[in-house]
Amino acid sequence: MTPEETLGNAELNYIQHFMLERTGIALEKNRACLVELRISNLLRDLHFSRASDLVNAIHMAPLGAVASALIDALTTSETSFFRDRTPFDILGQEIVPDICKRSAFPLRIWSAACASGQEALSIAMTIAETSQQLLLQTKILASDISQQALLQAQCGEYSELEVNRGLPARLLMKYFTRAGRNWRAKPSLMSRIVFRDLNLVHLSLKETFDVVFLRNMLIYLDDAAKRTVLKNVARCMSAGAYLFLGGAETVIGLGDFFETVRFGSNLCYRLKK
Amino acid sequence: MKALVVDDSRVMRRILKGILQPLGFEVEEADDGEKALETIRSGGGVDVVLADWNMPVMSGLELVHALKSDPIHSNVPILMVTSESSLDQIDEAFCAGINEYIMKPFDAEAIKTKLQMIGVLA
């Protein structure tokens, strides 16, 4: 059965509206093919014969398991260890020394759209490579809206294909152990990370952080949702805290919470005083 | 930039060539370590070696030892591309002098990031 046969305009419109309201994600018309393919796979996995069955199930229980499965299916994205490398270099070489001079411990870092956990582990390894002692004084929150992605993140287990993506082999040897065909992050890293299911559009988080990684998430949102997310995230940042966005993302035109900080030819953002 | 792919599997050499050429590499091939050494020593400036571990005649690890003890070519970066994946083997390869290690299976993105790590790609 092709996606075209399973997904009509009415169902697609409902799903677009649901995703926008619930997650802030604006499903783009030009990516409709990918959306249809993912929904088609979801229908098969849930043993639904028609997209209208899926829509009805979500309509009956908007916070239920089927709704979660839809969010999982439409938000799971490719990621890698030390993705784009530079933010981790800046974190280890510039920001952590700066924060250590002026902050009380523990150092608090938030991987706000952590997907399957590689970013949070990359942060933990960056800190550990600076100082093992400092890692013991660091708390990392890893959050995502996809419960499926969070489950993998909590396991800390990755295939060879996944560890090949961006993880230097020396760090693999130092911080991972064999788990059958897979590799598992050692407790020294995992014990520093707390995992939580959080929706950044409807955020209820009381803690504050010294550094926030919010990378490659805003690109999926419309401008109103981007403003809401940045405002919510800013509320959870301590004075002078740093924010990393993805390479194609910016805060310009999306509120007045952040200032740009340059490190050589690279930049990140800092919460305005 | 020139990459030398050393693997006794023609299919694997073809896969790596298909990844490296779009990244801007001119690719030379060798099906064992001894032929790889001949290619490197014959001049022409190899910028990076991607070597399998298990090969006939001369293994990838023997190739690494030979290159590292050759004063003219000891600085050529080496990426080990292999099915061997125990911690001891990875450690042994690093002790021999490789720059990075990648386990099969891999994808184009993995090869690209490993080449970036060892400074061969920007």
Side-chain angles (χ1 to χ4, degrees):
Chain A
M1 191 177 289
T2 67
E4 288 77 12
E5 288 167 329
T6 60
L7 191 62
N9 278 338
E11 290 85 14
L12 185 58
N13 286 340
Y14 181 91
I15 288 167
Q16 283 175 324
H17 182 72
F18 170 81
M19 288 297 288
L20 186 62
E21 193 168 81
R22 181 77 182 275
T23 69
I25 292 173
L27 299 175
E28 294 171 38
K29 293 265 188 297
N30 60 5
R31 300 187 75 198
C33 212
L34 180 65
V35 171
E36 287 178 357
L37 181 64
R38 289 184 173 191
I39 290 174
S40 178
N41 290 339
L42 180 64
L43 293 178
R44 187 197 58 218
D45 293 347
L46 296 177
H47 303 289
F48 285 143
S49 56
R50 293 169 304 179
S52 57
D53 296 337
L54 176 78
V55 165
N56 287 338
I58 294 169
H59 190 66
M60 297 289 285
L63 299 175
V66 175
S68 286
L70 177 71
I71 291 171
D72 287 342
L74 295 178
T75 56
T76 308
S77 58
E78 287 287 305
T79 187
S80 61
F81 288 96
F82 295 98
R83 186 174 181 182
D84 303 328
R85 189 73 228 183
T86 311
F88 302 97
D89 292 341
I90 293 175
L91 177 70
Q93 292 161 20
E94 309 279 355
I95 291 179
V96 167
D98 176 46
I99 293 172
C100 287
K101 272 188 274 175
R102 62 184 168 82
S103 281
F105 288 103
L107 176 63
R108 294 174 184 274
I109 303 177
W110 181 16
S111 170
C114 74
S116 39
Q118 287 93 328
E119 183 177 74
L121 286 167
S122 302
I123 292 167
M125 285 185 275
T126 301
I127 303 293
E129 288 296 291
T130 304
S131 156
Q132 289 284 347
Q133 186 60 33
L134 181 59
L135 182 64
L136 295 173
Q137 297 173 292
T138 301
K139 289 188 173 179
I140 300 167
L141 171 64
S143 71
D144 204 276
I145 196 168
S146 165
Q147 293 178 15
Q148 188 182 326
L150 267 183
L151 271 178
Q152 187 189 347
Q154 281 173 301
C155 286
E157 202 170 301
Y158 300 91
S159 68
E160 287 188 340
L161 196 58
E162 288 169 318
V163 297
N164 276 334
R165 289 191 185 135
L167 182 58
R170 285 184 188 280
L171 297 185
L172 175 73
M173 284 194 293
K174 197 167 171 182
Y175 296 111
F176 288 75
T177 53
R178 267 286 187 196
R181 295 286 301 165
N182 292 341
W183 293 85
R184 184 180 296 141
K186 286 185 177 174
S188 59
L189 296 184
M190 294 299 287
S191 63
R192 309 316 309 156
I193 306 173
V194 172
F195 297 90
R196 207 178 298 170
D197 169 13
L198 288 179
N199 182 336
L200 301 179
V201 177
H202 307 288
L203 185 65
S204 55
L205 185 62
K206 299 277 187 268
E207 299 153 65
T208 57
F209 297 87
D210 302 301
V211 185
V212 178
F213 281 68
L214 177 67
R215 303 191 306 148
N216 307 302
M217 185 266 182
L218 292 180
I219 46 173
Y220 298 107
L221 309 183
D222 65 11
D223 279 355
K226 283 177 187 169
R227 284 194 193 92
T228 303
V229 167
L230 286 172
K231 187 175 163 189
N232 289 344
V233 168
R235 274 198 204 121
C236 299
M237 294 172 71
S238 52
Y242 292 90
L243 171 71
F244 285 102
L245 298 181
E249 297 167 328
T250 179
V251 300
I252 294 169
L254 298 169
D256 193 29
F257 302 103
F258 301 98
E259 60 190 2
T260 302
V261 187
R262 289 199 172 276
F263 295 99
S265 58
N266 303 299
L267 60 84
C268 70
Y269 302 95
R270 186 164 50 203
L271 189 67
K272 281 186 179 174
K273 288 176 184 165
Chain B
M1 291 236 285
K2 190 183 283 183
L4 175 61
V5 174
V6 194
D7 199 303
D8 57 334
S9 158
R10 193 156 54 89
V11 173
M12 190 51 66
R13 293 200 305 272
R14 195 187 306 156
I15 289 170
L16 283 168
K17 195 172 179 177
I19 292 172
L20 291 165
Q21 282 180 330
L23 294 174
F25 287 95
E26 179 190 334
V27 179
E28 290 212 26
E29 298 176 38
D31 59 11
D32 68 62
E34 199 167 274
K35 287 180 188 148
L37 265 185
E38 284 169 19
T39 302
I40 293 166
R41 287 174 174 163
S42 68
V46 170
D47 296 292
V48 60
V49 175
L50 291 86
D52 184 23
W53 188 308
N54 292 305
M55 292 180 286
V57 186
M58 180 188 273
S59 74
L61 199 64
E62 288 167 326
L63 169 64
V64 176
H65 283 297
L67 275 178
K68 291 299 158 186
S69 59
D70 178 340
I72 298 172
H73 301 106
S74 61
N75 290 329
V76 177
I78 305 167
L79 173 59
M80 188 72 95
V81 185
T82 174
S83 305
E84 306 303 327
S85 61
S86 76
L87 284 171
D88 287 345
Q89 285 166 314
I90 300 172
D91 192 38
E92 189 179 0
F94 272 108
C95 287
I98 63 155
N99 298 74
E100 253 303 330
Y101 195 101
I102 191 162
M103 293 166 287
K104 299 169 183 174
F106 54 80
D107 59 9
E109 186 60 25
I111 293 286
K112 186 180 163 189
T113 54
K114 293 281 179 179
L115 292 172
Q116 287 169 331
M117 277 178 213
I118 62 178
V120 178
L121 265 185

